[in-house]
Every structure is written in structure tokens, then in C-alpha cells.
Amino acid sequence: QVQLVESGGGLVHAGGSLRLSCAASGRTYHITTMAWYRQAPGRERELVASITRDGFTNYADSGKGRFTISRDNVKNTILLQMDSLKPEDTAVYYCNAVIRPNIEGSLDVWGQGTLVTVSS
């Protein structure tokens, strides 16, 4: 099956930048859309950005103009470039992959998460 491993989280000051990476392994040919989600303590997990295999992107309003998602299908990775970070961006960021092994349905695979902390 597919496994996802995130990296790149850390502590930054407000206004700083951070780049997250997610490496997919296993049966990566089953992956369709990949995405970044985040979850702050006491809050629901929310979409940050998504990208299809063909490179079409979608961004949540929270990150529009500040975040950029990209994908390398050769390396089986996605990146999330985060600029102009705000304290409210503090969360655990999770990589997600939609696996579609057949036409009947799909399932989600999640990484372990990487913590992003933005200090004021």
C-alpha cells in the first residue's frame, strides 16, 4: 500500500517561511489527489491545499496568497511552501493522499504529521 512521511516542520517567528515535504512510497501509482491538512489543538482538521496528479491546485482561503503547493511525480513528493506565516498557522500539518485502486471508490492515506509553530 501507500505510506506518507512528512518533514520540514519547526519553529518560526511571525512573518517567516517554512517548507514542508511529503514523500510517498509503496504503490504510488494508485495515488490521485494529494493534499496538506492541518489541525490545531481543539480544532477540526482542515484542508490547506490540494493538488491533482496533473498539477491542478486548490487552496483554502486561509493560505491563499501565502502558501504554494507543488508536486513532483518522479520523486513522488509534494511540497508546501509557506510564506508570511502567522501565529494562527500553528498546527500539526498532515499529508494526505487519495488512493483509487478501482472505479468503485477511494480511500485516504495519512502521514504522521509534522508540527509547525509560529511565534508572535
Side-chain angles (χ1 to χ4, degrees):
Q1 195 48 269
V2 173
Q3 297 81 42
L4 304 175
V5 178
E6 304 99 330
S7 62
L11 173 64
V12 296
H13 292 290
S17 298
L18 210 58
R19 182 168 60 229
L20 307 183
S21 298
C22 172
S25 61
R27 299 176 182 177
T28 57
Y29 49 86
H30 286 314
I31 299 176
T32 56
T33 300
M34 297 185 71
W36 287 99
Y37 287 74
R38 68 186 184 186
Q39 187 168 23
R43 298 191 62 188
E44 296 183 5
R45 189 169 299 185
E46 64 179 12
L47 174 70
V48 178
S50 65
I51 185 168
T52 69
R53 178 172 288 274
D54 294 331
F56 293 99
T57 59
N58 180 61
Y59 294 92
D61 289 341
S62 59
K64 285 183 179 178
R66 300 186 299 122
F67 295 175
T68 303
I69 188 171
S70 60
R71 183 169 183 167
D72 187 333
N73 290 325
V74 176
K75 297 171 60 178
N76 295 314
T77 61
I78 61 169
L79 303 175
L80 183 67
Q81 178 67 42
M82 302 186 292
D83 299 318
S84 301
L85 284 163
K86 306 174 182 179
E88 48 263 48
D89 294 319
T90 296
V92 177
Y93 284 70
Y94 295 93
C95 184
N96 167 265
V98 178
I99 311 300
R100 186 178 287 274
N102 54 63
I103 64 173
E104 295 183 351
S106 63
L107 60 88
D108 289 340
V109 176
W110 297 91
Q112 82 288 349
T114 185
L115 177 63
V116 171
T117 303
V118 184
S119 63
S120 60

